[in-house]
Amino acid sequence: MVGVVVDSQRMHVTKEHWQELLRHLSEIINHELAEIHTRDFYSGNGIWRQMDGSSRTNFISAIFEWLNDRKHHIVYSSANKAKYYDAVRSGIIPRELNTIWRYLAFHLMLAIQKRYQKEKKNKGNTVFIFDNEKREEKRFIDLINNCPDWSDTYYGYSRLKRRIDQIIDAPYFGYSKEVGMIQVADFVAYFLRRYAEIREGLVPARYADEEEKVCQWVSLISSRTIGKVIFIHQKGDAPALRYFIGLPQTL
């Protein structure tokens, strides 16, 4: 799961530029695009059949360079599904995180809290907008509004402040067609997953230099991540460390 961290003062410019990119792609394929479905785009399926592989590769590089040039940051969390489900069945993962979507989404929020909580005059300045997820919306909002005590150890909660104080309000949910940055997040997530699958030998490369290309794109992503999250080690039990370490890696 990927999040794009965008400064609100530059958000309107980013939205305009993303729409310009979609319009440009629409002209090339002679089909009006409301959003990019990355899997079809990368594979050359459907409306993308008329666009050759070299052209699609160049556009992928251009999109990552576009993101890099705008100085936005990326936050992501991942999990080995088999290990996650084993941990759930074993009771290691708490019930409030018993879906992989909620598990990854909560980790993203904790990572953002820890990354930005030390910045001056930044309290309560962050809005989260997730892709529409009707089955998760209510339970996730309840989780954020009633953060479990165990999450305190992730970012060093103090009783002098409220929990997850970087967040303005409960997270919002929108449709990717209407929120361009959700499309960008999905785009980045696709290539992070593709990178993991190839590097771990789970799937074969589709073409001769795919691994090299994907590594180059992931290198651009890595340069814009919020930085490796280091768990706070406290004396005694640290549940947040136990729940997350070994399953995902947030960068």
Side-chain angles (χ1 to χ4, degrees):
M1 184 179 287
V2 168
V4 182
V5 187
V6 182
D7 188 321
S8 61
Q9 295 180 354
R10 293 184 287 126
M11 182 67 177
H12 68 288
V13 177
T14 298
K15 290 172 63 177
E16 289 170 5
H17 288 175
W18 181 253
Q19 290 303 317
E20 288 174 9
L21 186 145
L22 290 180
R23 283 193 292 270
H24 185 44
L25 280 174
S26 297
E27 292 170 1
I28 291 174
I29 63 173
N30 195 30
H31 181 91
E32 187 173 352
L33 288 173
E35 62 180 321
I36 296 177
H37 295 289
T38 310
R39 184 181 300 277
D40 291 337
F41 178 52
Y42 188 58
S43 302
N45 293 329
I47 60 175
W48 303 105
R49 289 187 185 280
Q50 58 186 296
M51 194 174 188
D52 62 69
S54 177
S55 297
R56 294 197 308 275
T57 295
N58 290 337
F59 257 98
I60 291 167
S61 296
I63 290 172
F64 281 124
E65 289 167 5
W66 169 86
L67 182 64
N68 191 57
D69 290 344
R70 274 143 194 80
K71 308 298 183 185
H72 300 318
H73 284 89
I74 296 293
V75 57
Y76 70 87
S77 60
S78 60
N80 179 303
K81 286 186 177 181
K83 290 183 179 179
Y84 167 79
Y85 290 123
D86 283 346
V88 170
R89 284 191 291 268
S90 301
I92 296 173
I93 302 297
R95 290 184 61 186
E96 57 264 31
L97 301 182
N98 64 0
T99 69
I100 200 162
W101 187 94
R102 208 176 311 133
Y103 177 84
L104 295 177
F106 193 52
H107 198 184
L108 283 191
M109 299 198 81
L110 291 175
I112 288 292
Q113 169 68 32
K114 185 171 182 180
R115 168 62 178 81
Y116 292 102
Q117 64 185 356
K118 292 183 179 180
E119 291 191 6
K120 294 181 179 179
K121 299 180 180 180
N122 197 45
K123 200 170 292 183
N125 280 349
T126 304
V127 174
F128 268 82
I129 304 175
F130 288 93
D131 200 358
N132 209 36
E133 195 72 31
K134 289 296 184 184
R135 291 179 299 178
E136 295 286 356
E137 186 172 336
K138 184 179 185 304
R139 292 189 67 182
F140 189 62
I141 291 174
D142 287 344
L143 174 60
I144 300 306
N145 287 336
N146 301 281
C147 283
D149 293 347
W150 60 258
S151 66
D152 298 348
T153 56
Y154 191 102
Y155 59 94
Y157 166 72
S158 165
R159 293 186 182 278
L160 299 178
K161 58 185 181 182
R162 67 177 178 84
R163 288 187 168 93
I164 313 189
D165 64 357
Q166 293 299 296
I167 313 304
I168 293 176
D169 201 352
Y172 296 94
F173 294 79
Y175 292 98
S176 56
K177 284 185 178 181
E178 301 167 356
V179 185
M181 289 303 97
I182 291 178
Q183 297 178 41
V184 177
D186 287 345
F187 188 85
V188 174
Y190 179 88
F191 288 101
L192 286 176
R193 176 170 180 153
R194 187 70 188 161
Y195 172 82
E197 289 173 338
I198 294 173
R199 297 288 283 183
E200 294 180 18
L202 300 175
V203 298
R206 293 177 179 171
Y207 51 89
D209 60 346
E210 183 183 17
E211 183 172 351
E212 179 183 349
K213 289 288 186 184
V214 172
C215 285
Q216 290 173 359
W217 295 327
V218 169
S219 179
L220 282 174
I221 296 170
S222 296
S223 69
R224 299 309 307 164
T225 56
I226 64 171
K228 284 185 177 293
V229 174
I230 302 172
F231 287 87
I232 297 175
H233 293 273
Q234 295 182 341
K235 293 181 179 179
D237 190 27
L241 176 64
R242 187 173 69 250
Y243 297 154
F244 289 113
I245 197 69
L247 291 175
Q249 185 179 30
T250 300
L251 300 175

